[in-house]
C-alpha cells in the first residue's frame, strides 16, 4: 500500500496492542521504527527483532515517560539524532474509570498528560522538520471517545476530544507544507471502538462463561450497548489504515477523524 523505505516512524506505546500493530504495518513497508513503551528488556528485544524480521531496516527502543515534558524532549532529541520522525504515531495512552465526583485528581493529571499533552510536545518537536522535508505524517490514535462520550471516563474523553481538536489545528497550520509530489504534511486521527487487545480479554471471557464458553456470544454481549456490528476490530486493521494514511496518495487527507467502530458513532 505504501513504500516507506528511507522513512523513520516513531510509534509511542508500540510494544503491544494497537501500537505494535501499527509498527508492524509500517515495518512491513520498509520504515525504520523507533519503538517506545513500557516494557522490560526481554520484551523490548523481542519487539525490535520482530519488526526487523518484518522488514524494518532498523528498529530501536527509545525511552521516555510521557507524563514529563523534559523526558519527551529528550526522547524527541534522540529520535532527531537518529534521523528524525517522518511519521509520528501518538498511540500511547492510559485510562481510569470512575464517576466524575470520584475521579482522583492525580488520575486526571496523568491521563491528560499522556493522552493529550504528550502529543502536543511530540508534534511540536517533529512537525517543523517534516515541513522542511516536504513530507510528514502525524497519526493520533484518538479513540471513538474523541467523538462521543461515555459515563465514568471524564479525563479520557476530555483528552481524546482535545486530541481531535489539536490535530485539526495542526492540520490547518501545515496543510500547505510540501507538495503533491513530495507527499505533503498531514495530521489525522484514527478513532477505534472496541478492539481485540489483551486489555478487553478478561471482559470477553467473563461474558463467554455465561454463554457456555461461546466467545463470539461473549463479544456480542460486551459490544451490544455501543458497537452495532457486534464485532471487535483487529489491531492489524488499525495498522492498515495508518499505513494507507502514510501513502503519497493521501496527501489531501488531513484534519480528519476516522472511526473504526462498527457503527458506534453513526447512531
Amino acid at each position: 500500500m505504501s513504500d516507506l523505505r528511507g522513512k523513520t516512524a516513531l510509534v509511542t506505546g508500540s510494544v503491544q496492542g494497537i501500537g505494535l500493530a501499527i509498527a508492524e504495518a509500517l515495518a512491513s513497508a520498509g520504515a525504520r521504527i523507533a519503538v517506545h513503551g513500557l516494557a522490560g528488556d526481554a520484551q523490548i528485544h523481542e519487539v525490535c527483532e520482530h519488526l526487523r524480521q518484518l522488514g524494518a531496516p532498523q528498529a530501536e527502543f527509545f525511552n521516555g515517560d510521557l507524563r514529563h515534558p523534559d523526558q519527551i524532549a529528550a526522547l524527541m532529541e534522540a529520535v532527531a539524532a537518529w534521523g528524525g520522525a517522518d511519521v509520528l504515531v501518538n498511540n500511547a495512552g492510559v485510562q481510569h474509570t470512575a464517576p466524575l465526583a470520584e475521579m482522583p485528581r492525580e488520575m486526571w493529571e496523568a491521563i491528560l498528560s499522556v493522552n493529550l499533552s504528550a502529543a502536543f510536545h511530540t508534534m511540536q518537536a517533529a512537525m517543523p522538520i517534516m515541513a522542511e522535508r516536504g513530507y510528514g505524517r502525524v497519526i493520533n490514535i484518538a479513540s471513538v471517545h474523541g467523538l462521543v462520550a461515555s459515563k465514568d471516563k471524564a479525563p479520557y474523553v476530555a483528552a481524546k476530544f482535545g486530541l481531535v481538536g489539536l490535530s485539526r489545528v495542526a492540520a490547518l497550520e501545515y496543510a500547505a507544507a510540501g507538495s503533491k509530489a513530495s507527499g505533503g504534511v498531514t495530521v489525522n486521527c484514527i478513532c477505534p471502538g472496541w478492539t481485540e487487545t489483551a486489555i478487553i480479554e478478561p471482559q470477553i471471557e467473563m461474558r463467554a462463561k455465561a454463554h457456555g464458553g461461546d466467545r463470539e456470544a461473549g463479544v456480542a454481549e460486551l459490544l451490544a450497548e455501543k458497537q452495532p456490528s457486534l464485532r471487535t476490530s483487529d489491531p492489524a486493521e488499525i495498522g492498515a489504515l495508518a499505513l494507507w494514511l502514510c501513502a503519497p496518495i493521501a496527501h489531501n487527507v488531513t484534519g480528519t477523524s476516522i472511526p473504526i467502530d462498527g457503527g458506534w458513532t453513526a447512531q
Side-chain angles (χ1 to χ4, degrees):
M1 294 175 65
S2 185
D3 183 355
L4 294 180
R5 288 175 294 179
K7 306 294 188 191
T8 298
L10 167 61
V11 185
T12 68
S14 50
V15 293
Q16 61 185 354
I18 290 173
L20 176 57
I22 293 172
E24 289 171 338
L26 303 183
S28 297
R32 303 162 75 227
I33 308 296
V35 177
H36 168 273
L38 298 175
D41 291 344
Q43 185 180 2
I44 289 168
H45 174 78
E46 181 180 341
V47 168
C48 290
E49 181 59 27
H50 171 62
L51 294 174
R52 286 190 286 266
Q53 289 176 356
L54 287 176
Q58 291 176 277
E60 294 186 16
F61 182 78
F62 291 80
N63 192 37
D65 187 330
L66 299 184
R67 295 172 298 177
H68 304 295
D70 289 347
Q71 292 196 35
I72 298 171
L75 164 67
M76 298 309 293
E77 287 172 7
V79 173
W82 200 52
D86 301 289
V87 177
L88 169 63
V89 182
N90 284 303
N91 166 76
V94 293
Q95 170 67 291
H96 181 80
T97 58
L100 179 66
E102 300 171 14
M103 183 66 68
R105 182 182 302 173
E106 61 271 19
M107 290 310 305
W108 170 270
E109 298 294 343
I111 291 170
L112 266 290
S113 294
V114 175
N115 294 13
L116 176 58
S117 296
F120 166 79
H121 294 302
T122 59
M123 291 164 67
Q124 188 178 56
M127 293 195 73
I129 300 171
M130 294 177 179
E132 290 175 5
R133 294 175 175 176
Y135 173 88
R137 295 291 186 267
V138 177
I139 301 169
N140 292 325
I141 307 305
S143 164
V144 70
H145 283 112
L147 303 173
V148 294
S150 292
K151 294 189 297 183
D152 300 333
K153 296 183 178 181
Y156 188 79
V157 171
K160 295 302 187 178
F161 265 72
L163 187 58
V164 168
L166 171 64
S167 301
R168 290 177 179 176
V169 171
L172 292 173
E173 292 186 0
Y174 285 88
S179 64
K180 184 184 293 188
S182 69
V185 177
T186 68
V187 186
N188 294 287
C189 290
I190 298 177
C191 303
W194 285 103
T195 304
E196 197 82 12
T197 58
I199 196 169
I200 71 165
E201 191 59 33
Q203 298 176 71
I204 294 173
E205 290 179 359
M206 180 179 68
R207 286 165 173 81
K209 286 180 181 178
H211 294 276
D214 186 334
R215 193 175 187 281
E216 287 189 11
V219 168
E221 182 182 318
L222 179 63
L223 274 56
E225 181 186 357
K226 301 285 190 180
Q227 195 148 307
S229 68
L230 303 181
R231 300 186 302 271
T232 58
S233 297
D234 190 271
E237 298 163 21
I238 288 87
L241 176 55
L243 177 58
W244 183 83
L245 288 170
C246 292
I249 199 171
H251 66 95
N252 260 341
V253 181
T254 194
T256 70
S257 299
I258 306 173
I260 303 180
D261 66 358
W264 185 334
T265 54
Q267 299 176 95

